[in-house]
Amino acid sequence: MVLTTSYYEKIIVTGHIIEVWRYEKLNTKGGGCRDGTGLDKEHNYQQHQRRRRNAIRQLICSNFDSTSKFVTLTFNNSQDHDLKDVQACNLYFKKFIQRMKYRYKDFQYVSVIEFQDLNDRGAVHYHMICNLPFIKKSELSLLWAGGFVKINRIDKVDNVGAYVIKYMTSDIDDKRLCGQNAYLHSHGLLKPLEVTTWRENDIEIWRGLHDEIENKTPSYCREYESEYAGRIEYRQYNYNRK
C-alpha cells in the first residue's frame, strides 16, 4: 500500500549527501509544454538543464570524494583537429581515456565540457574528476599529449559534485553543446539511490532514511513554488559538513 501523507517526498542519497524534496502536490504532468509558446519552451528547456545539472552532480557525489583528483585538460594550438569542434575534441579525449584505462585498469571518471571564451579561443577543454592515484604532472601531461594539464587539490572540498558542477553552470546551456553530451563518464558508475513516498516498493527504505535524518540539521534549505507541484521544500544533509 502506498504511504498516505499530507505531502509527497523524494529522497536521493549520493555518497555522504542526502537530498530531500517535499512536494505539496504530485506532479503528474511533468511540466510539459502546454501550448507551444516560446515562454513554455524556454521554461521546459531550463527545467531540463536544471535536471541535467542535478544528475551530473549526484553521479559525481555517488562515486567520488575529496580523495579523488580534479584535473583540467586543455588543448594547445598544435593539434590537427578543430579545437572548437566538440565531436573532434571528444574523439581525442576518448583516446586519452583509453590510454588511462590501459595504465590504470580500474580508472573511473566524470568529465564536463567547457569552452575557452574568456581569451576568445572558443576551444573545448575538459574538467575531469577521477580516481587517479598519485601521478606526476609531467607524466599526466605525456598521457594527455594534447596540451596542458592542471591538477586541483580538493582534499578540503565537502561536496565534490557541487564543486565540479560550478564549472559548467553556464556552459551546459551553451548552444554549441546542442545535440552533444554535456558530460562524459565511465561505464558502470554507481547510481544515486532514489526513493519516494508514491512508489510502493520504496516505502520501507524511505522510512529508514526519513527516520535517520528526522532530527538532524540540514546543511542547506530552500522553498519555492511550482505550477505543477505546488509548494516545494528542499533540504540537503551533508554528513561531511560540520
Side-chain angles (χ1 to χ4, degrees):
M1 182 177 179
V2 177
L3 183 68
T4 301
T5 62
S6 60
Y7 56 85
Y8 300 91
E9 190 167 272
K10 175 176 67 177
I11 299 179
I12 296 182
V13 182
T14 56
H16 59 275
I17 292 176
I18 298 179
E19 297 176 275
V20 181
W21 283 265
R22 182 172 292 182
Y23 307 98
E24 181 182 6
K25 299 180 292 186
L26 185 60
N27 181 4
T28 58
K29 297 183 179 180
C33 182
R34 300 181 303 280
D35 57 15
T37 65
L39 287 176
D40 276 337
K41 288 181 179 179
E42 179 64 23
H43 173 72
N44 294 337
Y45 176 77
Q46 293 299 329
Q47 280 192 325
H48 172 72
Q49 299 299 69
R50 191 180 305 113
R51 285 193 294 267
R52 186 156 59 162
R53 280 193 289 268
N54 284 337
I56 299 169
R57 175 177 53 78
Q58 291 160 358
L59 183 66
I60 291 172
C61 286
S62 296
N63 292 275
F64 303 97
D65 55 29
S66 59
T67 65
S68 305
K69 298 292 191 302
F70 182 69
V71 179
T72 300
L73 304 166
T74 308
F75 291 108
N76 58 28
N77 290 326
S78 64
Q79 302 306 307
D80 295 331
H81 63 272
D82 183 354
L83 302 184
K84 299 180 181 180
D85 187 323
V86 176
Q87 287 187 332
C89 292
N90 282 352
L91 181 61
Y92 187 97
F93 177 82
K94 289 177 181 178
K95 291 179 179 178
F96 161 70
I97 293 299
Q98 290 174 352
R99 295 193 291 272
M100 295 298 291
K101 289 185 176 180
Y102 180 81
R103 177 164 177 168
Y104 304 103
K105 302 302 181 183
D106 62 344
F107 182 74
Q108 293 184 321
Y109 73 96
V110 172
S111 178
V112 298
I113 299 171
E114 190 179 24
F115 298 94
Q116 287 183 295
D117 288 333
L118 292 179
N119 56 11
D120 296 324
R121 284 184 82 205
V124 170
H125 66 279
Y126 300 89
H127 296 292
M128 179 179 71
I129 188 164
C130 58
N131 62 344
L132 186 68
F134 174 78
I135 184 174
K136 292 182 179 179
K137 181 180 178 180
S138 57
E139 294 180 30
L140 185 58
S141 294
L142 288 174
L143 287 167
W144 170 236
F148 312 100
V149 302
K150 180 181 179 182
I151 303 175
N152 289 45
R153 290 185 59 181
I154 58 172
D155 54 300
K156 295 183 179 180
V157 176
D158 63 16
N159 188 332
V160 294
Y163 180 85
V164 174
I165 209 72
K166 73 179 183 180
Y167 286 91
M168 60 182 301
T169 300
S170 58
D171 290 284
I172 196 172
D173 299 326
D174 198 301
K175 302 304 181 183
R176 287 170 288 186
L177 287 174
C178 182
Q180 306 284 346
N181 291 324
Y183 66 105
L184 306 168
H185 62 85
S186 302
H187 296 293
L189 293 178
L190 296 175
K191 295 181 179 180
L193 171 65
E194 177 180 316
V195 295
T196 74
T197 57
W198 59 87
R199 291 195 293 256
E200 185 174 355
N201 293 336
D202 291 354
I203 298 305
E204 185 175 349
I205 300 176
W206 174 85
R207 286 188 188 277
L209 291 170
H210 183 82
D211 291 345
E212 177 183 337
I213 61 177
E214 187 174 12
N215 296 318
K216 294 186 180 297
T217 302
S219 54
Y220 177 76
C221 298
R222 183 189 174 198
E223 295 184 4
Y224 55 100
E225 293 287 335
S226 165
E227 180 179 357
Y228 295 100
R231 187 175 186 83
I232 299 176
E233 299 176 16
Y234 172 79
R235 304 190 306 277
Q236 183 183 114
Y237 300 84
N238 187 336
Y239 282 20
N240 281 1
R241 184 172 299 173
K242 297 181 180 179

